[in-house]
């Protein structure tokens, strides 16, 4: 193993392709005031997202994926939370923007598909009316035009018999159909950026694949940029051009998807990969689990936050936080004092 970083960077994950940037995030930090003290759920995250690019954000539960997405959406309650850094969407600064200013962007520039479709749908309102509402409030469509567009959107997301489903309540639909409705609502304003936060949580494997394939198809057809959040590296393997791995609120590795899979340098990325379900696994195969638990973000250990769980930790790891450094592959970065050897080098 080499202890020498190839090159330190300003911790920015630049897109590999040279397309213009849609979303530019710099040194984003989200801190909650909790009874146990300040809790930094997102800690100095920087990345760029190109137009029509799909970025996968992966990490264990509690690594800050949802807080990152909600901060980008400007959706966090303003009390007991401090956000610093910059999030520019099409050049418009979101950090510090008023709720009114954010309302101008929601639906038409940025939309989010949440982890749990039941919490984002109103259980006592017909699903068609919920889509109509977005179209009328955000786009100013008339009642008739909104209904016609809602039916088109239900059809776009693959819901059979849209006119019938338009009148259904969320509880009358299956989990997969509900998530399709949530996606229809997110797409109602034709956003440039879609934040999909674990869009298949709680769905069975076949329906998960259908929803992910639907998102793939819609991303290409509607020319959207997507941030696809998941704890499962298998989900992002074929669906993203880049991956950002998060641990304890920080980016610990990022780069082109194929490169991160084949040539990851951070032991945590390897541990995540070893825990990821594979199609080639026999049914009911027990997955490896990463030993130990993610740290308490209100009382982080000094140094690398993965150190208490890392087989490669040395004394320095417990003392100093490693910065992101570039590998020789453009755009591939990792944060580790004792990185795994580069592909082709000796394996540990
Ligand atoms: N409103 C809040 N107040 C205080 N702490 C919070 C709040 N929301 C989230 N957190 C904390 O922020 C950290 C990151 O949470 P987050 O929900 O972003 O994780 P996640 O990566 O999305 O996990 P999961 O995979 O379980 O969805 C956690 O420690 C969580 O307890
Ligand atoms: S504990 Fe050390 S070797 Fe392990 S991931 Fe952190 S910096 Fe790398
Ligand atoms: Mg989450």
């Amino acid at each position: 193993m080499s202890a020498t970083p190839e090159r330190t960077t300003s911790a920015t994950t630049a897109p590999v392709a040279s397309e213009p940037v849609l979303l530019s995030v710099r040194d984003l930090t989200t801190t909650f005031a909790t009874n146990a003290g300040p809790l930094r759920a997102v800690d100095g995250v920087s990345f760029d997202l190109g137009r029509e690019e799909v970025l996968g954000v992966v990490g264990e539960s509690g690594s800050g994926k949802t807080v990152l997405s909600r901060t980008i959406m400007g959706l966090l309650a303003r009390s007991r939370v401090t956000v610093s850094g910059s999030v520019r969407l099409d050049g418009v600064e979101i950090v510090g923007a008023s709720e009114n200013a954010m309302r101008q962007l929601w639906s038409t520039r940025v939309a989010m598909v949440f982890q749990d479709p039941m919490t984002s749908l109103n259980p006592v309102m017909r699903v068609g009316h919920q889509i109509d509402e977005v179209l009328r409030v955000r786009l100013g469509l008339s009642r008739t035009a909104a209904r016609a567009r809602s039916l088109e959107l239900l059809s776009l997301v693959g819901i059979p018999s849209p006119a019938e489903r338009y009148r259904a309540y969320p509880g009358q639909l299956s989990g997969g159909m509900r998530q399709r409705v949530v996606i229809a609502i997110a797409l109602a304003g034709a956003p440039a950026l879609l934040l999909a936060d674990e869009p298949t949580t709680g769905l069975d494997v076949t329906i998960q694949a259908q929803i992910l394939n639907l998102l793939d198809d819609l991303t290409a057809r509607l020319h959207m940029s997507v941030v696809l959040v998941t704890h499962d590296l298998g989900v992002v393997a074929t669906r993203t051009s880049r991956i950002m791995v998060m641990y304890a609120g920080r980016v610990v590795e990022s780069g082109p998807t194929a490169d991160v899979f084949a040539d990851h340098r951070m032991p945590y990325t390897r541990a995540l990969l070893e825990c990821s379900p594979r199609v080639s696994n026999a049914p009911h195969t027990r997955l490896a689990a990463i030993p130990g638990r993610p740290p308490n973000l209100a009382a982080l250990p000094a140094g690398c936050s993965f150190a208490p769980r890392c087989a490669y930790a040395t004394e320095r790891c417990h003392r100093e936080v490693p910065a992101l450094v570039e590998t020789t592959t453009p755009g591939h970065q990792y944060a580790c004092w004792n990185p795994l050897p580069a592909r082709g080098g000796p394996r540990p």
Side-chain angles (χ1 to χ4, degrees):
M1 285 206 278
S2 146
T4 315
E6 278 100 317
R7 182 154 62 86
T8 27
T9 74
S10 60
T12 299
T13 61
V16 177
S18 57
E19 67 265 62
V21 167
L22 172 72
L23 178 72
S24 178
V25 176
R26 291 288 176 279
D27 204 16
L28 187 66
T29 299
T30 306
T31 310
F32 294 105
T34 72
N35 293 339
L39 183 153
R40 236 181 243 188
V42 173
D43 190 358
V45 169
S46 298
F47 67 94
D48 285 336
L49 181 69
R51 284 172 210 280
E52 298 183 40
E53 190 180 14
V54 182
L55 170 72
V57 176
V58 293
E60 283 173 294
S61 186
S63 55
K65 307 180 298 294
T66 295
V67 175
L68 173 65
S69 309
R70 294 182 78 93
T71 307
I72 293 171
M73 271 296 275
L75 265 183
L76 294 171
R78 278 149 209 259
S79 63
R80 297 181 71 79
V81 59
T82 310
V83 178
S84 64
S86 168
V87 175
R88 293 178 79 83
L89 177 64
D90 253 341
V92 176
E93 181 61 61
I94 284 175
V95 173
S98 67
E99 200 171 317
N100 249 352
M102 285 313 300
R103 282 185 197 285
Q104 309 292 316
L105 302 178
W106 288 336
S107 293
T108 53
R109 303 306 299 150
V110 55
M112 185 162 168
V113 174
F114 295 90
Q115 254 174 306
D116 175 4
M118 271 324 257
T119 59
S120 43
L121 291 174
N122 180 342
V124 295
M125 192 174 178
R126 296 183 198 278
V127 295
H129 294 175
Q130 300 192 45
I131 310 175
D132 290 357
E133 190 172 76
V134 177
L135 292 163
R136 298 185 66 195
V137 173
R138 303 257 182 263
L139 303 188
L141 262 55
S142 69
R143 189 184 293 268
T144 316
R147 183 187 151 86
R149 181 70 185 133
S150 293
L151 290 170
E152 279 173 16
L153 284 162
L154 287 171
S155 177
L156 179 73
V157 298
I159 292 191
S161 315
E164 211 175 289
R165 298 284 157 64
Y166 175 93
R167 297 184 53 73
Y169 291 96
Q172 294 172 312
L173 301 179
S174 67
M177 286 295 153
R178 280 199 291 267
Q179 196 56 303
R180 284 175 194 263
V181 171
V182 171
I183 292 169
I185 291 173
L187 298 182
L193 170 64
L194 183 70
L195 303 166
D197 184 7
E198 306 261 14
T200 57
T201 305
L203 300 176
D204 77 43
V205 180
T206 317
I207 309 293
Q208 273 187 23
Q210 286 173 7
I211 297 286
L212 290 168
N213 292 343
L214 170 71
L215 277 174
D216 276 355
D217 176 48
L218 293 172
T219 302
R221 279 164 69 184
L222 305 178
H223 306 290
M224 288 184 297
S225 302
V226 177
V227 176
L228 179 57
V229 171
T230 176
H231 59 273
D232 180 357
L233 272 163
V235 164
V236 291
T238 55
R239 297 188 159 86
T240 59
S241 52
R242 279 190 305 139
I243 299 182
M244 196 164 88
V245 180
M246 289 186 71
Y247 189 76
R250 295 191 184 123
V251 176
V252 294
E253 183 148 18
S254 74
T257 303
D259 203 55
V260 171
F261 268 83
D263 198 19
H264 42 277
R265 311 297 302 282
M266 168 65 179
Y268 177 65
T269 309
R270 172 177 284 184
L272 268 186
L273 274 165
E274 282 168 358
C275 297
S276 177
R278 293 196 184 91
V279 178
S280 55
N281 282 149
H284 311 301
T285 304
R286 272 188 83 116
L287 293 175
I290 303 178
R293 286 170 152 209
N296 172 0
L297 299 187
L300 275 182
C304 172
S305 14
F306 190 53
R309 307 169 74 187
C310 181
Y312 306 104
T314 52
E315 190 268 331
R316 184 182 196 186
C317 304
H318 292 278
R319 222 172 355 100
E320 289 176 56
V321 178
L324 279 170
V325 295
E326 295 249 357
T327 68
T328 47
T329 303
H332 183 176
Q333 306 172 325
Y334 62 86
C336 180
W337 295 126
N338 307 307
L340 303 169
R343 184 170 37 192
R347 307 309 295 182

